[in-house]
């Protein structure tokens, strides 16, 4: 790399990792075949709530190819309880969560028995021969009813369905005033209740796990987002010495939070492999993914917004009911709590109160799903700002501008206790408004209303920020989270000048190998092609906190930067020795140490070779440039943006079509625009899907009705518009790259933009709300109900 070489950061590099994916040389977990490997199939309960009174496996054991059949009773003494790492309150109720049910089942799809056979087909055939006797118990499905006194109980031993109640009050925390006083003094009061429907993380690759117990160290390959956390949790849950367990996340086909989990299937596979002394594999079907893997969202949000008549907001009160499902999984109770810090959004609320009540039901457990608490909060505040604008007959953008934090006010301490380090909401909104032709669309909307057009135009707004780069260990500790949020990286300088980067951030589609190569190329001045990134294996990368919460770049890549700085620091005295000069006379630029004011230089690759030879090093300097670093940021990062959506609603059928969608996001400095664009597009697809298409639906007996893609509508490209994207750039002040997260931004911002647009199209008919997803039937029903009520 020469002094005039173009920086790698900012280049739209095609992803290094894609070649082997698109040419079919992938190494999915399900592709692995080991000598003597057995296959697992899992019997799942058809009932949502029942006692298990008997399990007869005799006939199944005699089926062709069957090696063993194990029940919950067989593994009861060794399976432990699946871990929950986030006890949000000291008195939180957390019932035992067995991987294989022993005495009772608490959701349809819960695992009851496992068949081990020579082939997957033989294992699945044998499931039908297992005979289970059940005694029905009352199902608990309605969230509000479950939280009420006298409700049927999911776990009778607890005496309640309420797991925990967590509160934040700005007056008590010293971050703002008394919200009850603000409500009493309000000139305008807006009260609404919204429903966040239950969603399914529909990742591309179903979960799969392979376990090989035949060596001194047990090896588990798993389609997981969290190999390091998984290793630790399995060791603690099952009493396996941590150094005797290796976890590998090979190619992983997406996660969206759905693979941020210690799953029953991972525990079962490990226990079975250890018992048999043979490798085993379990790969779920798509229906099993939807039936038994954790779901997301599922909240009832009751909100009260206080304001003055001129539109100035004075207080926000939030009361949540959050559905935990039947058990607490890894971070289940903390997911809605993450949203507590975001209900104020980008606005200067003087007072704020938040209460969340976590409730058990006889449904699949919930846990992290792309955005994890923050989409729910953003939806609520952006919907409420539109409701207030309607109440005051103000343009929704005008109302927002009146209340948002201006760019001169950063850093800004929020009423929820966070410090937003940087932002420019005015610039992002101005750019989005221009790209969208906001004023022109408003004129067209008025014209359509005037002529009573059967297809009405609606315009939706979402101006958002989010806390991401989930990391600061002290903050997580204050929230009682069971781990820190640091990240680790190591850089190995090879004698030929090539570089190996070892990262604790485990990718599952984000583009780490490309982005990290760009970062290291700029830091060390080596060619992009000369950097190899290693990840996803606890033996190769023994330390890490993995990938979720838009933390990879803002935390993981900064650890890489810190490690690179140490490489340069170790190389400096060696370079000075080689050029017979003082260290203070050296400057490092574009991959070489140069003596200031001269042409004399030595490249980092030359230093690496000299270190390898070790023939002429300074006294007391070890022949080693390899360096590692652990980075623990002091704050989150706060990307923001403005999303504008125009929809056309056919009032005669309820059909919604997105006519145009514009988003302008500010994610600080951009490492790779191509990767950013892909993340934004994918995020928009998932947020729009919640608004219009996706919902996990149960019948009155607790059976999942949306157990396949025939019933659960994941939108394709044909369902989505062409997105117009733009960016403003306000660097983060808390890290040396000035970067912020982007992986969840599109999902967080887009849902309220779309729903606000749908309501804006039909609000003049008297429609005040439409529950998500805004399907044609729901939209049509809302219009006709409002019209009938007006007669």
């Amino acid at each position: 790399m020469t002094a005039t070489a173009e920086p790698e950061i900012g280049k739209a590099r095609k992803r290094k990792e894609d070649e082997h994916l698109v040419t079919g040389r992938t190494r999915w977990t399900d592709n692995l075949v080991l000598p003597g490997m057995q296959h697992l199939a899992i019997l799942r309960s058809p009932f949502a709530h029942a006692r298990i009174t008997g399990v007869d496996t005799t006939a199944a054991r005699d089926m062709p190819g069957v090696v063993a059949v194990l029940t919950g009773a067989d593994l009861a003494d060794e399976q432990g309880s699946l871990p929950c790492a986030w006890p949000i309150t000291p008195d939180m109720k957390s019932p035992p969560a067995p991987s294989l049910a022993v005495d009772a089942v608490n959701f349809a799809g819960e695992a009851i028995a496992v068949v081990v056979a020579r082939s997957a087909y033989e294992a699945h055939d044998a499931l039908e021969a297992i005979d289970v006797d059940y005694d029905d118990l009352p199902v608990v499905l309605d969230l509000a009813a479950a939280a009420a006194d006298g409700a049927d109980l999911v776990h009778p031993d607890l005496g309640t369905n309420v797991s925990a109640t967590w509160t934040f009050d700005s007056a008590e925390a010293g971050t703002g005033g008394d919200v009850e006083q603000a409500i009493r003094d309000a000139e305008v009061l807006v009260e609404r209740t919204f429903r966040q429907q239950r969603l399914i993380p529909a990742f591309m690759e179903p979960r799969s796990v392979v376990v090989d117990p035949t060596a001194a160290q047990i090896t588990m390959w798993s389609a997981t987002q969290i190999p390091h956390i998984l290793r630790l949790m399995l060791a603690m849950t099952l009493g396996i010495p941590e150094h005797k367990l290796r976890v590998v996340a090979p190619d992983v086909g997406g996660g969206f939070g759905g693979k941020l989990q210690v799953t029953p299937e991972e525990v079962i596979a490990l226990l079975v492999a250890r018992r048999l002394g043979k490798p085993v594999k379990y790969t779920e079907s798509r229906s099993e993914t939807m039936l038994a893997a954790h779901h997301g969202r599922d909240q009832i949000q009751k909100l009260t917004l206080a304001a003055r008549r001129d539109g100035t907001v004075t207080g926000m009160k939030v009361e949540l009911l959050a559905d935990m499902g039947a058990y607490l999984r890894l971070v289940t109770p903390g997911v809605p709590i993450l949203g507590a810090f975001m209900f104020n959004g980008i606005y200067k609320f003087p007072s704020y109160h938040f209460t969340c009540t976590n409730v058990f039901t006889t449904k699949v457990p919930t846990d992290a799903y792309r955005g994890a608490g923050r989409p729910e909060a953003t939806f609520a505040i952006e919907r409420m700002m539109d409701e207030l604008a309607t109440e005051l007959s103000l343009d929704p953008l005008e109302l927002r501008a009146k209340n948002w934090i201006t760019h001169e006010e950063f850093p800004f301490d929020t009423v929820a206790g966070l410090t937003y380090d940087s932002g420019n909401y005015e610039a992002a909104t101005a750019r989005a408004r221009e790209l969208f032709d906001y004023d022109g669309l408003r004129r067209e909307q008025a014209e359509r209303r005037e002529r009573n057009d059967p297809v009405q135009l609606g315009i939706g707004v979402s101006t958002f920020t989010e806390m991401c780069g989930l990391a600061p260990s002290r903050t997580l500790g204050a929230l009682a989270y069971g781990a820190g949020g640091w990240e680790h990286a190591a850089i190995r300088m090879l004698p030929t000048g090539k570089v190996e980067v070892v990262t604790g951030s485990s990718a599952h589609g984000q583009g780490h190998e490309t982005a990290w190569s760009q970062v290291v190329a700029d830091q060390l001045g080596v060619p992009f092609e000369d950097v190899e990134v290693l990840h996803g294996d606890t033996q190769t990368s023994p330390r890490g906190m993995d990938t979720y919460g838009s933390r990879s770049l803002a935390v993981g890549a900064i650890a890489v930067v810190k490690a690179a700085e140490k490489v340069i620091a170790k190389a400096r005295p060696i370079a000075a020795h080689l050029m017979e000069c003082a260290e203070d006379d050296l400057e490092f630029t574009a991959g070489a140490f140069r003596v200031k004011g001269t042409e004399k230089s030595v490249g980092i690759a030359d230093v690496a070779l000299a270190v390898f030879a070790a023939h002429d090093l300074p006294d007391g300097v070890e022949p080693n440039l390899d360096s590692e670093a652990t980075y623990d940021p002091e704050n989150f990062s706060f990307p923001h943006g403005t999303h504008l959506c125009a929809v056309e609603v056919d009032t005669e059928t309820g059909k919604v079509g997105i006519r145009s969608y514009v988003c302008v996001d500010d994610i600080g400095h951009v490492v790779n625009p191509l990767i950013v664009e892909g993340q934004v597009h994918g995020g928009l697809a998932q947020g729009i899907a919640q608004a219009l298409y996706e919902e996990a639906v149960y019948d009155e007996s607790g059976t999942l009705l949306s157990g396949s893609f025939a019933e659960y509508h994941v939108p394709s490209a044909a369902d989505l518009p062409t997105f117009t994207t733009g960016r403003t750039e306000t660097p983060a002040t808390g890290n040396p790259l000035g970067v912020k997260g982007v992986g969840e931004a599109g999902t967080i911002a887009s849902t309220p933009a779309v729903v606000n647009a749908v309501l804006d199209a039909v609000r003049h008919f008297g429609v005040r709300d439409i529950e998500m997803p805004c399907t044609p039937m729901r939209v049509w029903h809302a219009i006709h109900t409002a019209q009938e009520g007006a007669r």
Side-chain angles (χ1 to χ4, degrees):
M1 181 174 180
T2 66
T4 59
E6 182 183 355
E8 279 292 335
I9 290 180
K11 280 187 181 179
R13 283 277 192 182
K14 292 183 179 179
R15 302 196 326 170
K16 282 185 172 184
E17 46 271 83
D18 285 351
E19 182 180 356
H20 82 280
L21 295 174
V22 300
T23 57
R25 298 198 299 272
T26 52
R27 197 169 188 235
W28 309 117
T29 302
D30 190 45
N31 289 356
L32 297 175
V33 177
L34 302 179
M37 187 171 71
Q38 308 297 303
H39 296 263
L40 308 184
I42 293 175
L43 182 70
R44 301 185 180 277
S45 171
F47 297 99
H49 203 200
R51 291 189 187 89
I52 300 172
T53 58
V55 183
D56 186 352
T57 62
T58 305
R61 294 174 194 272
D62 293 334
M63 293 282 287
V66 171
V67 173
V69 182
L70 299 169
T71 67
D74 295 323
L75 299 179
D77 294 337
E78 53 186 307
Q79 68 177 330
S81 179
L82 289 164
C84 175
W86 204 335
I88 60 171
T89 64
D91 61 349
M92 183 183 82
K93 293 177 171 58
S94 182
S99 294
L100 275 179
V102 179
D103 301 313
V105 292
N106 294 303
F107 66 90
E110 186 167 1
I112 295 173
V114 56
V115 173
V116 188
R118 292 175 301 187
S119 73
Y121 300 106
E122 290 170 321
H124 280 91
D125 285 345
L127 291 181
E128 297 182 11
I130 300 175
D131 187 16
V132 184
D133 293 326
Y134 301 93
D135 282 346
D136 286 350
L137 293 170
V139 294
V140 181
L141 301 172
D142 183 272
L143 179 54
D149 292 337
D152 291 321
L153 299 180
V154 181
H155 303 283
D157 291 349
L158 300 181
T160 178
N161 288 322
V162 174
S163 173
T165 299
W166 191 94
T167 62
F168 177 90
D169 187 89
S170 61
E172 293 177 4
T175 58
D178 180 2
V179 77
E180 296 297 340
Q181 186 63 48
I183 290 172
R184 288 192 293 271
D185 294 343
E187 296 173 359
V188 179
L189 207 60
V190 178
E191 297 177 281
R192 297 289 187 270
T193 299
F194 302 134
R195 179 66 194 244
Q196 285 278 326
Q197 79 269 39
R198 179 173 279 246
L199 300 176
I200 298 174
F203 33 73
M204 184 176 293
E205 175 207 18
R207 299 174 304 164
S208 182
V209 58
V210 172
V211 180
D212 184 359
T214 59
Q217 186 183 53
I218 299 172
T219 299
M220 172 184 285
W221 293 264
S222 181
T224 181
Q225 297 176 221
I226 52 167
H228 298 91
I229 294 173
L230 177 59
R231 179 196 191 199
L232 174 63
M233 292 291 99
L234 288 173
M236 295 176 68
T237 300
L238 301 177
I240 299 172
E242 189 178 357
H243 66 290
K244 294 293 186 182
L245 180 60
R246 173 189 179 192
V247 174
V248 182
D251 290 325
V252 177
F256 311 126
K259 293 174 183 172
L260 200 178
Q261 196 55 262
V262 180
T263 69
E265 295 79 10
E266 287 161 335
V267 171
I268 292 167
L270 199 159
L271 291 177
V272 171
R274 190 170 62 172
R275 177 173 288 212
L276 298 182
K278 297 180 179 180
V280 303
K281 177 193 286 186
Y282 169 78
T283 300
E284 68 188 2
S285 67
R286 177 60 65 183
S287 291
E288 283 182 294
T289 300
M290 306 182 88
L291 180 69
H294 78 244
H295 293 172
R297 313 286 193 255
D298 208 348
Q299 295 179 0
I300 298 173
Q301 305 172 316
K302 182 180 178 182
L303 302 121
T304 304
L305 190 155
R308 293 200 290 266
R309 180 60 59 184
D310 67 357
T312 304
V313 296
T314 58
M316 170 71 83
K317 183 177 181 180
V318 179
E319 299 168 271
L320 292 190
L321 286 178
D323 194 335
M324 302 290 96
Y327 301 103
L328 302 182
R329 295 298 195 227
L330 191 63
V331 294
T332 301
V335 167
I337 304 309
L338 286 174
F341 304 99
M342 288 283 99
F343 274 89
N344 52 292
I346 66 173
Y347 309 111
K348 295 179 285 190
F349 277 94
S351 62
Y352 173 59
H353 179 91
F354 173 92
T355 299
C356 179
T357 302
N358 288 346
V359 181
F360 291 115
T361 62
T362 53
K363 290 182 277 188
V364 174
T366 57
D367 209 296
Y369 175 61
R370 197 170 189 170
R374 292 155 292 154
E376 297 93 311
T378 299
F379 178 84
I381 182 57
E382 290 305 294
R383 283 283 294 106
M384 289 298 282
M385 293 302 283
D386 258 34
E387 294 298 306
L388 178 60
T390 300
E391 185 77 19
L392 298 174
S393 299
L394 291 174
D395 180 90
L397 279 177
E398 177 187 346
L399 176 70
R400 285 165 168 81
K402 185 177 186 63
N403 288 285
W404 67 37
I405 305 158
T406 63
H407 70 275
E408 300 94 345
E409 295 176 288
F410 288 95
F412 187 88
D413 294 330
T414 76
V415 73
L418 298 179
T419 299
Y420 294 174
D421 66 322
S422 68
N424 192 329
Y425 309 140
E426 304 98 306
T429 302
R431 179 62 177 147
R433 184 171 185 147
E434 176 188 4
L435 291 171
F436 189 67
D437 187 20
Y438 186 84
D439 295 334
L441 285 168
R442 284 293 184 200
R443 288 192 295 271
E444 181 183 342
Q445 180 186 52
E447 292 167 1
R448 289 199 189 198
R449 288 186 181 179
E450 180 67 25
R451 65 175 184 262
N452 198 25
D453 196 313
V455 178
Q456 289 288 303
L457 182 66
I459 298 169
V461 176
S462 175
T463 50
F464 83 106
T465 189
E466 58 154 324
M467 53 182 281
C468 67
L470 190 63
S473 294
R474 290 185 179 183
T475 301
L476 294 176
L479 292 173
Y481 182 63
W486 50 266
E487 194 48 84
H488 186 82
I491 292 180
R492 303 199 287 245
M493 292 296 301
L494 305 181
T496 55
K498 311 301 183 186
V499 182
E500 290 179 337
V501 178
V502 180
T503 175
S505 296
S506 176
H508 46 280
Q510 290 84 351
H512 290 182
E513 294 175 31
T514 304
W516 274 220
S517 295
Q518 291 179 267
V519 169
V520 170
D522 278 0
Q523 293 293 312
L524 297 181
V526 299
F528 170 81
E529 295 78 10
D530 287 354
V531 183
E532 186 75 15
V533 179
L534 308 173
H535 61 86
D537 183 339
T538 61
Q539 186 162 284
T540 304
S541 170
R543 285 176 289 281
M545 291 301 294
D546 304 316
T547 298
Y548 41 86
S550 298
R551 69 190 303 274
S552 295
L553 188 64
V555 187
I558 306 306
V560 172
V561 170
K562 298 295 184 182
E565 291 172 351
K566 291 184 178 182
V567 169
I568 295 167
K570 291 176 76 171
R572 184 176 295 276
I574 301 170
H577 179 77
L578 293 174
M579 290 189 287
E580 299 179 334
C581 68
E583 288 184 48
D584 291 344
D585 291 337
L586 292 180
E587 59 183 5
F588 182 78
T589 58
F593 291 96
R594 290 176 174 79
V595 180
K596 298 174 185 176
T598 74
E599 296 297 319
K600 198 173 184 179
S601 68
V602 62
I604 189 76
D606 297 323
V607 177
L609 185 58
V611 166
F612 170 75
H615 294 161
D616 184 21
L617 299 181
D619 293 340
V621 172
E622 64 176 329
N624 178 17
L625 294 184
D626 296 354
S627 300
E628 55 186 79
T630 303
Y631 176 65
D632 194 353
E634 296 182 0
N635 197 5
F636 302 98
S637 76
F638 297 95
H640 68 83
T642 296
H643 289 224
L644 302 174
C645 178
V647 301
E648 293 181 320
V649 176
D650 188 328
T651 60
E652 296 175 346
T653 66
K655 179 177 172 55
V656 176
I658 297 179
R659 173 167 151 181
S660 64
Y661 195 102
V662 168
C663 63
V664 175
D665 289 299
D666 193 320
I667 59 169
H669 285 151
V670 172
V671 172
N672 187 314
L674 195 61
I675 292 177
V676 166
E677 194 76 358
Q679 288 280 11
V680 170
H681 279 219
L684 292 176
Q686 286 187 278
I688 292 170
Q690 178 173 8
L692 298 180
Y693 301 112
E694 296 184 23
E695 182 177 19
V697 179
Y698 288 85
D699 69 11
E700 66 279 358
S701 68
T703 300
L704 183 68
L705 297 179
S706 49
S708 76
F709 285 149
E711 301 87 17
Y712 189 85
H713 186 178
V714 176
S716 70
D719 298 303
L720 298 169
T722 297
F723 304 121
T724 300
T725 62
R727 284 192 300 275
T728 56
E729 190 170 299
T730 311
T733 62
N735 66 70
L737 293 181
V739 296
K740 306 176 183 180
V742 70
E744 296 161 302
T747 303
I748 290 169
S750 57
T751 307
V754 175
V755 174
N756 280 340
V758 174
L759 284 166
D760 187 58
V762 299
R763 197 184 289 275
H764 60 291
F765 294 121
V767 177
R768 293 181 61 185
D769 190 30
I770 301 172
E771 191 170 298
M772 294 188 292
C774 299
T775 60
M777 179 58 75
R778 284 179 175 167
V779 174
W780 182 89
H781 186 266
I783 294 170
H784 284 262
T785 299
Q787 289 176 330
E788 289 172 5
R791 292 191 182 114

